Amino acid sequence: MKIQIYSDLHLGFARFEPTPSDADVVILAGDIDIKSRGVNWANDTFHCPVIYVCGNHEYYSGHIDRTLQKMKDAAAPHVHVLENEVLTLNQTRFLVTTAWTDYSSTGDAVAAKRAAWERMNDFTAIRTDESYRRLRPDDLIAKSKAAYAWLTQELDKPFDGETVVVTHHAPVLDYVGDELPTHLVAAYANDWKELVGRADLWVYGHTHVSADFLTNGCRVISNPRGYPNQQTGFNPDFLIEI
């Protein structure tokens, strides 16, 4: 199976036209565009199956639950917008979740929550609850714990084939970048080494730092474009085979 990998295209800042490829599957690991715009782009741009996980930017100017449903409703049959869901294609299972962080990965969740609240646009740009109140770090901690429990449950299930996990947030602290304040790193990466070791491939985005490395026997990949003129190491033709 040939897999094309993209994340953090941020199409609202600059267009992106993929070169034709013979990929069997395209993975969009979040922050493609806000709301359903990224879905509509994927509907028209690709003809093979697309696995699309929401990043934080998909939810900007929207409600964290209602936006997800609107994206699912907008998706063409070949575009799969997934959250805590499994898709099996040709004996390969894809476990897909945004994997929000619980702010514990740098060792001080209180400091990390404070840093995120002060520095991340998520908490002014995303709404939640019936009252459409502003999102809070504790809302994302609850989602992170649910994602961890769901992934653990799915990875416990026997499967005769390859296992690919797709998240937006990084699963480990490697390759997060040096420019972030120490505790803000916890808003970008979990510390889920024990889960990573149970997958064959893990694809993520969010950090705007390209990566391709092995940890606990799993290949871990990020291929983010990032913002215009940002140097991320992005490869517009990045294709792997599993």
Side-chain angles (χ1 to χ4, degrees):
M1 176 182 287
K2 295 179 181 178
I3 303 176
Q4 192 103 44
I5 296 170
Y6 303 112
S7 75
D8 304 275
L9 295 178
H10 293 289
L11 296 173
F13 292 89
R15 294 178 60 187
F16 175 67
E17 303 272 350
T19 54
S21 80
D22 60 349
D24 301 301
V25 178
V26 170
I27 292 177
L28 300 176
D31 283 7
I32 306 305
D33 206 335
I34 66 167
K35 298 185 176 179
S36 297
R37 295 177 190 174
V39 176
N40 292 328
W41 175 80
N43 289 345
D44 296 336
T45 301
F46 304 107
H47 301 289
C48 64
V50 176
I51 294 168
Y52 191 148
V53 67
C54 292
N56 51 319
H57 280 258
E58 266 77 13
Y59 295 110
Y60 278 21
S61 301
H63 186 286
I64 198 165
D65 298 318
R66 291 176 176 83
T67 296
L68 176 63
Q69 188 56 54
K70 288 176 181 177
M71 290 176 64
K72 286 175 171 286
D73 293 343
H78 68 289
V79 176
H80 306 275
V81 179
L82 304 173
E83 173 65 359
N84 295 349
E85 293 172 278
V86 183
L87 179 69
T88 302
L89 299 170
N90 298 330
Q91 286 304 110
T92 298
R93 65 173 174 175
F94 296 86
L95 311 182
V96 186
T97 177
T98 297
W100 298 95
T101 76
D102 67 359
Y103 303 101
S104 67
S105 62
T106 55
D108 188 339
V110 173
K113 284 168 59 176
R114 185 183 308 114
W117 177 258
E118 293 173 352
R119 301 284 295 271
M120 300 289 286
N121 291 329
D122 300 10
F123 304 109
T124 57
I126 304 173
R127 300 290 166 164
T128 190
D129 212 349
E130 291 299 321
S131 63
Y132 277 72
R133 64 169 171 81
R134 287 169 59 182
L135 192 70
R136 301 167 187 154
D138 285 344
D139 298 317
L140 299 183
I141 289 173
K143 288 187 176 293
S144 177
K145 292 183 183 299
Y148 183 90
W150 174 79
L151 272 176
T152 301
Q153 173 183 290
E154 293 302 324
L155 289 167
D156 280 344
K157 296 177 181 178
F159 183 76
D160 185 18
E162 299 289 308
T163 295
V164 179
V165 178
V166 182
T167 62
H168 180 61
H169 294 71
V172 289
L173 293 165
D174 310 66
Y175 298 95
V176 175
D178 300 326
E179 67 281 358
L180 292 174
T182 299
H183 289 299
L184 194 58
V185 169
Y188 287 83
N190 289 293
D191 187 12
W192 289 356
K193 294 186 190 72
E194 69 283 1
L195 294 184
V196 172
R198 299 167 65 186
D200 299 293
L201 173 66
W202 194 302
V203 177
Y204 71 94
H206 196 39
T207 64
H208 291 201
V209 178
S210 294
D212 187 351
F213 61 97
L214 287 173
T215 188
N216 285 3
C218 176
R219 187 177 181 184
V220 182
I221 292 175
S222 182
N223 186 39
R225 183 175 72 151
Y227 300 118
N229 302 317
Q230 186 179 22
Q231 301 302 311
T232 65
F234 177 61
N235 178 355
D237 301 314
F238 192 78
L239 188 72
I240 66 166
E241 189 164 2
I242 62 171

